[in-house]
Amino acid sequence: MKISVIIPMYNEEENVIKTIQEVDAVLKTYKNYEIIAVDDGSFDGTFEIASNVALENHNVHVLKHSSNCGMGKALRTGFKKAEGDIIITIDADLSYDTCYIPKLIDALDGETDIVIGSQYMDGGKTEDIPRLRLFISKMANKIVGYAMANNVSTVTGVFRAYRREVLDSIELDSNGTEINPEILSKANAIGFSIKEVPVTLGGRKFGESKVKIKSTTISHLLFTFNEKPMVLFGAIGFILLFIGSVSALYLFYQFIMGILDPTRPLMLFMVLMILSGIQILVFGFVATQISLLRREVYIVQKENKLLRKKLK
């Protein structure tokens, strides 16, 4: 059994050596392993430092993007290069301690295909995380988790272990951090089992965080609406219906009191709100059916991808 650890890096010159050394120290007990550092277009010394480490350690491989493409693209590049039967992804800043890597590997038993290092499940915890970042992270995981079919408390984290078959069976499209929930969504849709183990998420000690709060929040919201369209269409539809219903009650009250003027704009407003609300709810229902049909597409993609691998 070979283990591949993929580390996406972007301007991490302060963390490169320490991260690779700590991952390497943990993996030595497994003997057959590789560490794949993917430099995602860094403009500091990340690539040069990682390349020097690779010259001294034949288990380390360094890949490079000519420009910054995002975590998702970096992980996809690493997945293509990885040769392991078990593939692990981890942040470059050691916010997740490498001592949890064996814990993730051990949890990949005969019934589990994906193991997530979860700081938000019972037993998991966070330390030294800025309050704003922690709040946004918790909210993102709750919102995106609500859109997922399975009960997973940490859906946006990168610290995970996969069986090779999982990544060989799904087509990945995301370039940003939304690749993490995308993998879970598609893997769950075609029947792979997911498990969480408690870990501690610590604050970054060196360098600056590369997470862009605005773009990350928007991408996760879009992912949620794509997974469960009724979250968006349902909310808007019910709000319009509520406004239309309140308007109708007010007009009915005026009718009872004998002061109703049928030429008032409120009459047209009420009709528009009710009809718009119903129409948007219908759109939500149709979008939900399309979302469910995508699962069949994922199954076909799995079969095609595995077939192409066999033919190669």
Side-chain angles (χ1 to χ4, degrees), residues 15 18-19 22-23 90-98 203 205:
N15 292 306
K18 180 176 178 61
T19 298
E22 291 199 13
V23 172
I90 189 171
D91 281 318
D93 60 0
L94 292 179
S95 51
Y96 293 101
D97 198 310
T98 56
K205 294 180 175 60

Side-chain angles (χ1 to χ4, degrees), residues 164-211:
R164 178 87 198 183
E165 183 186 357
V166 175
L167 299 172
D168 282 345
S169 301
I170 56 180
E171 296 283 354
L172 296 174
D173 307 306
S174 300
N175 288 330
T177 55
E178 66 274 14
I179 191 173
N180 296 310
E182 180 193 4
I183 293 173
L184 295 185
S185 173
K186 292 183 175 180
N188 181 70
I190 57 181
F192 289 112
S193 59
I194 302 170
K195 180 179 180 180
E196 291 183 285
V197 295
V199 299
T200 298
L201 173 66
R204 172 184 282 268
K205 294 180 175 60
F206 303 103
E208 297 181 356
S209 174
K210 310 306 184 298
V211 177

Side-chain angles (χ1 to χ4, degrees), residues 24-44:
D24 184 65
V26 170
L27 294 177
K28 283 187 182 300
T29 57
Y30 296 97
K31 296 182 181 179
N32 192 14
Y33 67 92
E34 62 179 354
I35 301 171
I36 302 174
V38 184
D39 176 35
D40 188 31
S42 300
F43 50 81
D44 62 359

Side-chain angles (χ1 to χ4, degrees), residues 3-7 19 22-27 29-30 35 86-90 94 96-108 115 159-161 197 199:
I3 297 171
S4 298
V5 176
I6 300 173
I7 313 173
T19 298
E22 291 199 13
V23 172
D24 184 65
V26 170
L27 294 177
T29 57
Y30 296 97
I35 301 171
I86 293 175
I87 299 175
I88 296 170
T89 56
I90 189 171
L94 292 179
Y96 293 101
D97 198 310
T98 56
C99 70
Y100 291 112
I101 290 179
K103 189 175 181 181
L104 264 61
I105 296 173
D106 293 341
L108 279 175
V115 177
F159 189 38
R160 301 174 180 175
V197 295
V199 299

Side-chain angles (χ1 to χ4, degrees), residues 254-266:
Q254 288 189 323
F255 174 75
I256 295 296
M257 299 300 292
I259 58 175
L260 176 63
D261 180 3
T263 62
R264 289 189 61 185
L266 185 59

Side-chain angles (χ1 to χ4, degrees), residues 14-302:
E14 295 171 293
N15 292 306
V16 174
I17 295 177
K18 180 176 178 61
T19 298
I20 294 178
Q21 286 179 344
E22 291 199 13
V23 172
D24 184 65
V26 170
L27 294 177
K28 283 187 182 300
T29 57
Y30 296 97
K31 296 182 181 179
N32 192 14
Y33 67 92
E34 62 179 354
I35 301 171
I36 302 174
V38 184
D39 176 35
D40 188 31
S42 300
F43 50 81
D44 62 359
T46 298
F47 178 72
E48 289 74 16
I49 296 173
S51 297
N52 290 334
V53 174
L55 290 175
E56 300 175 1
N57 188 338
H58 69 278
N59 290 313
V60 178
H61 309 288
V62 183
L63 307 176
K64 181 175 177 60
H65 291 164
S66 57
S67 61
N68 181 235
C69 302
M71 176 189 286
K73 182 64 175 178
L75 288 178
R76 287 161 54 198
T77 298
F79 293 152
K80 291 179 181 178
K81 173 70 175 178
E83 298 178 350
D85 304 293
I86 293 175
I87 299 175
I88 296 170
T89 56
I90 189 171
D91 281 318
D93 60 0
L94 292 179
S95 51
Y96 293 101
D97 198 310
T98 56
C99 70
Y100 291 112
I101 290 179
K103 189 175 181 181
L104 264 61
I105 296 173
D106 293 341
L108 279 175
D109 52 31
E111 299 179 353
T112 306
D113 301 300
I114 301 174
V115 177
I116 303 171
S118 174
Q119 64 271 21
Y120 298 130
M121 71 176 297
D122 291 339
K125 61 180 180 178
T126 60
E127 294 178 347
D128 302 323
I129 306 295
R131 289 184 179 181
L132 178 60
R133 181 188 169 192
L134 182 60
F135 173 77
I136 292 175
S137 176
K138 285 183 176 180
M139 289 300 101
N141 278 279
K142 285 185 179 296
I143 293 172
V144 180
Y146 172 73
M148 306 287 284
N150 49 359
N151 185 23
V152 177
S153 59
T154 304
V155 297
T156 63
V158 69
F159 189 38
R160 301 174 180 175
Y162 304 95
R163 290 193 185 279
R164 178 87 198 183
E165 183 186 357
V166 175
L167 299 172
D168 282 345
S169 301
I170 56 180
E171 296 283 354
L172 296 174
D173 307 306
S174 300
N175 288 330
T177 55
E178 66 274 14
I179 191 173
N180 296 310
E182 180 193 4
I183 293 173
L184 295 185
S185 173
K186 292 183 175 180
N188 181 70
I190 57 181
F192 289 112
S193 59
I194 302 170
K195 180 179 180 180
E196 291 183 285
V197 295
V199 299
T200 298
L201 173 66
R204 172 184 282 268
K205 294 180 175 60
F206 303 103
E208 297 181 356
S209 174
K210 310 306 184 298
V211 177
K212 298 177 181 178
I213 294 177
K214 183 179 179 180
S215 60
T216 300
T217 301
I218 292 174
S219 67
H220 286 156
L221 284 175
L222 291 175
F223 177 84
T224 301
F225 297 149
N226 184 59
E227 284 293 302
K228 192 168 281 190
M230 194 55 82
V231 171
L232 176 63
F233 289 108
I236 296 175
F238 280 116
I239 289 173
L240 294 179
L241 278 176
F242 176 76
I243 295 173
S245 299
V246 171
S247 302
L249 289 173
Y250 178 68
L251 289 171
F252 182 70
Y253 166 76
Q254 288 189 323
F255 174 75
I256 295 296
M257 299 300 292
I259 58 175
L260 176 63
D261 180 3
T263 62
R264 289 189 61 185
L266 185 59
M267 185 76 72
L268 178 61
F269 176 79
M270 175 202 69
V271 174
L272 286 176
M273 290 296 100
I274 292 177
L275 291 179
S276 298
I278 293 173
Q279 188 173 26
I280 290 176
L281 287 175
V282 171
F283 286 159
F285 175 77
V286 174
T288 299
Q289 298 306 307
I290 294 174
S291 179
L292 292 174
L293 286 174
R294 284 205 306 267
R295 298 188 177 190
E296 302 299 325
V297 175
Y298 297 155
I299 294 174
V300 173
Q301 288 179 341
K302 171 187 176 182

